[in-house]
Amino acid sequence: MAIPTKKPDKKRRISESTIHRLSLYYRALTLLEKENYETVSSKELARREKLTPAQVRKDLSFFGSFGTRGLGYPVNELKNKIASILGIDRTWRVALVGVGNIGSALVSYKEFMKQGFQIVKLFDNDQRKIGSNHKGIIVSDINNLEKELKEAGIELVILAVPATVAQYIVDNVVKAGVKAILNFAPVNLRVPDDVYLRNENMSMELEYLSFALVNNLSQKRVNEG
Amino acid sequence: MAIPTKKPDKKRRISESTIHRLSLYYRALTLLEKENYETVSSKELARREKLTPAQVRKDLSFFGSFGTRGLGYPVNELKNKIASILGIDRTWRVALVGVGNIGSALVSYKEFMKQGFQIVKLFDNDQRKIGSNHKGIIVSDINNLEKELKEAGIELVILAVPATVAQYIVDNVVKAGVKAILNFAPVNLRVPDDVYLRNENMSMELEYLSFALVNNLSQKRVNEG
DNA sequence: AATGCCATGTGAAATGGTTCACAAAACAGT
DNA sequence: ACTGTTTTGTGAACCATTTCACATGGCATT
């Protein structure tokens, strides 16, 4: 019997930071599970991801109450619950556009697969790449993007193309009805309000380190982005 | 004659978000420069990076006053000023550890070079990779890590190794006196207080998208992480 | 059944970040 | 020189997030 832990509160808006920390908790719990822990306290979870126990409890409390006072949280149960909240208790059909440096690396990136993100289509505009095989996937012609995204039932697109063509491709991805895009190009893309766009800017963290070095920061906070 | 725009205020702590936005401003200014703009308003800068004009002005005001009332900011001058704040008005000697999927991609990643991050050393533990040439750099044996990092005067290390060995390598990187590390492994690493560590977790943004899709978020904020 | 202990869940307080709103400054046109 | 227009720079107000602190609930032991 499933006991509803908390009535869903439509009013409360969950912050981006909280969601990012859920990813960290999920990672920590996966490890704890491997280490055969049955339960874990907010204190231990916090220690493992350099957070505070109060933060852990507050984050989880937005979604229900999963712990037992005096005992802590059941590792496996909490892990599953977080997976369900994040929507990674299923598989997502992902297409990757741009089989260059970054793109090729991402096809083989095992973390994606582990979390249910299955790359099932590849696209490029380079005739030498089109038709070639990457990890069992044949690279499609970018000109068939819209059609093939629809046919393959793609729900999520990863963009690893040069900044100059990114907007053009995004427009076509949107036309194909895809509602979630992860962009690696260092450019700010325009999408309609009903499409989720996130950017992964790998230079940004290097720049932060550079800033920290030249300014001799004492704060030193670990970013988990 | 250099006119000090503002007395350095040791009290004020600059937030991480502000620094990340400086990266965005820098990127926008680089483009504006190419488009031959001489000046730019906070309004236009904000529009280009999906921020508010007040935010742009506030961010910049932490570091001085660079604009002219009624006119806006001088594009080239502001760009240089931000580069100086971020510490990317120079080159950094970078080593990359782990020449696998991600590592190989990063060696060829042009954005790093553009911002002054020069990858000058590569390390791996795989005998088949040691000695091989990637973009003109010979891959060194991970066993010589500490010694070669020192010899090469490395200031910053990028870690692209499996999570299981990341801590061991970080310990050696720290021993070599490196004070800034960018970690791609999905694991929380321990470093001394005087070492800056940042994590690049590529699954995190995908998980955020997944969360957004299953929860039908209306907020939809672009993350520039 | 009662006691002691431990760790959650959560309002309230504190802190931190963003937006507002306007005075001040600079330029253009007359 | 004056007027109008524009846009900066910045305290103050507002809003969001984090931390605090403690009542509550559950387990274990006797």
Side-chain angles (χ1 to χ4, degrees):
Chain A
M1 181 177 69
I3 299 149
T5 45
K6 177 174 271 190
K7 50 188 174 307
D9 184 346
K10 299 264 177 168
K11 293 287 160 51
R12 223 190 297 262
R13 173 142 286 131
I14 308 296
S15 79
E16 178 173 319
S17 326
T18 293
I19 301 308
H20 280 334
R21 282 191 299 268
L22 287 190
S23 294
L24 299 182
Y25 303 148
Y26 182 81
R27 181 173 83 179
L29 288 163
T30 304
L31 207 57
L32 283 159
E33 201 179 33
K34 275 205 198 107
E35 295 169 11
N36 293 316
Y37 283 80
E38 301 247 310
T39 59
V40 63
S41 65
S42 58
K43 195 177 162 195
E44 170 66 7
L45 213 37
R47 191 190 61 73
R48 291 192 173 221
E49 294 297 338
K50 288 211 197 88
L51 302 165
T52 67
Q55 177 100 80
V56 172
R57 295 200 300 275
K58 180 64 87 176
D59 282 340
L60 296 176
S61 80
F62 291 138
F63 302 97
S65 56
F66 311 118
T68 305
R69 290 163 197 238
L71 245 192
Y73 301 91
V75 170
N76 178 263
E77 225 173 276
L78 183 59
K79 173 171 167 269
N80 291 339
K81 188 71 200 176
I82 290 177
S84 151
I85 293 165
L86 289 177
I88 56 174
D89 57 344
R90 44 161 291 176
T91 60
W92 292 94
R93 295 178 63 77
V94 179
L96 193 155
V97 185
V99 192
N101 285 322
I102 304 291
S104 311
L106 296 178
V107 184
S108 310
Y109 190 54
K110 300 209 181 66
E111 288 299 311
F112 287 169
M113 189 81 82
K114 276 189 211 160
Q115 325 239 328
F117 300 101
Q118 287 189 321
I119 298 178
V120 295
K121 292 288 286 183
L122 298 176
F123 294 92
D124 207 294
N125 69 342
D126 186 336
Q127 287 303 327
R128 287 164 301 181
K129 287 175 187 162
I130 295 167
S132 73
N133 187 315
H134 281 248
K135 293 271 158 181
I137 308 161
I138 306 294
V139 179
S140 295
D141 189 327
I142 189 82
N143 289 317
N144 305 328
L145 185 65
E146 194 182 333
K147 179 164 163 281
E148 293 195 27
L149 285 179
K150 281 182 191 163
E151 282 173 4
I154 297 298
E155 303 165 285
L156 207 156
V157 164
I158 300 177
L159 264 193
V161 300
T164 45
V165 297
Q167 184 63 56
Y168 169 78
I169 291 170
V170 159
D171 292 344
N172 281 292
V173 168
V174 168
K175 269 191 217 160
V178 174
K179 299 294 183 209
I181 301 170
L182 179 59
N183 169 44
F184 280 81
V187 64
N188 193 1
L189 300 170
R190 290 181 310 279
V191 291
D193 277 355
D194 65 337
V195 176
Y196 303 109
L197 169 70
R198 305 287 300 182
N199 296 301
E200 190 87 57
N201 185 335
M202 296 190 296
S203 301
M204 216 171 228
E205 291 300 332
L206 271 184
E207 283 166 10
Y208 189 94
L209 284 172
S210 165
F211 172 79
L213 286 172
V214 298
N215 292 278
N216 244 312
L217 287 203
S218 53
Q219 49 168 13
K220 218 188 60 66
R221 259 245 225 78
V222 176
N223 161 290
E224 299 283 350
Chain B
M1 181 177 67
I3 300 152
T5 43
K6 177 174 271 192
K7 49 187 176 308
D9 183 347
K10 300 263 180 167
K11 294 286 162 52
R12 221 190 299 262
R13 173 140 286 133
I14 306 296
S15 79
E16 179 174 317
S17 326
T18 293
I19 301 308
H20 280 335
R21 283 191 298 268
L22 287 189
S23 294
L24 299 183
Y25 303 148
Y26 182 80
R27 180 174 84 179
L29 288 163
T30 304
L31 206 58
L32 283 160
E33 201 179 33
K34 274 205 197 108
E35 295 169 12
N36 293 316
Y37 283 80
E38 301 247 310
T39 61
V40 63
S41 66
S42 59
K43 196 177 162 196
E44 170 66 7
L45 214 36
R47 190 189 62 74
R48 291 192 173 220
E49 294 296 340
K50 288 212 198 87
L51 301 165
T52 66
Q55 178 98 80
V56 173
R57 295 200 299 277
K58 178 65 85 177
D59 282 339
L60 295 176
S61 80
F62 291 137
F63 302 97
S65 55
F66 312 119
T68 305
R69 288 165 198 237
L71 245 192
Y73 300 90
V75 170
N76 178 262
E77 225 173 274
L78 182 59
K79 173 171 168 269
N80 291 339
K81 188 71 201 176
I82 291 177
S84 151
I85 293 164
L86 289 177
I88 56 174
D89 56 343
R90 45 161 290 176
T91 60
W92 291 95
R93 294 177 64 76
V94 179
L96 193 155
V97 185
V99 192
N101 285 322
I102 303 292
S104 311
L106 296 178
V107 184
S108 309
Y109 190 54
K110 300 212 182 64
E111 287 299 312
F112 287 170
M113 190 82 83
K114 277 189 210 159
Q115 324 239 327
F117 299 101
Q118 287 188 321
I119 298 178
V120 294
K121 292 289 286 182
L122 297 175
F123 294 92
D124 207 294
N125 69 342
D126 186 336
Q127 288 303 326
R128 288 164 300 182
K129 287 175 188 163
I130 295 167
S132 72
N133 188 316
H134 281 247
K135 294 270 160 181
I137 308 161
I138 306 295
V139 178
S140 295
D141 190 326
I142 189 81
N143 290 318
N144 305 328
L145 185 65
E146 195 182 332
K147 180 164 162 284
E148 292 195 28
L149 285 179
K150 282 182 191 163
E151 283 173 4
I154 296 298
E155 302 164 286
L156 206 156
V157 164
I158 301 176
L159 264 194
V161 299
T164 44
V165 297
Q167 184 64 55
Y168 170 77
I169 292 170
V170 158
D171 292 344
N172 281 292
V173 168
V174 168
K175 269 191 215 158
V178 173
K179 298 293 183 209
I181 301 169
L182 178 60
N183 169 43
F184 280 81
V187 64
N188 193 3
L189 300 170
R190 289 181 310 280
V191 292
D193 277 354
D194 64 338
V195 176
Y196 302 110
L197 169 70
R198 306 286 299 180
N199 296 302
E200 191 86 57
N201 186 334
M202 296 190 295
S203 301
M204 217 173 229
E205 291 301 331
L206 270 183
E207 283 166 12
Y208 188 93
L209 284 172
S210 165
F211 172 79
L213 285 172
V214 299
N215 292 277
N216 244 313
L217 288 202
S218 52
Q219 50 169 11
K220 221 189 58 67
R221 260 244 225 81
V222 176
N223 161 289
E224 299 284 348

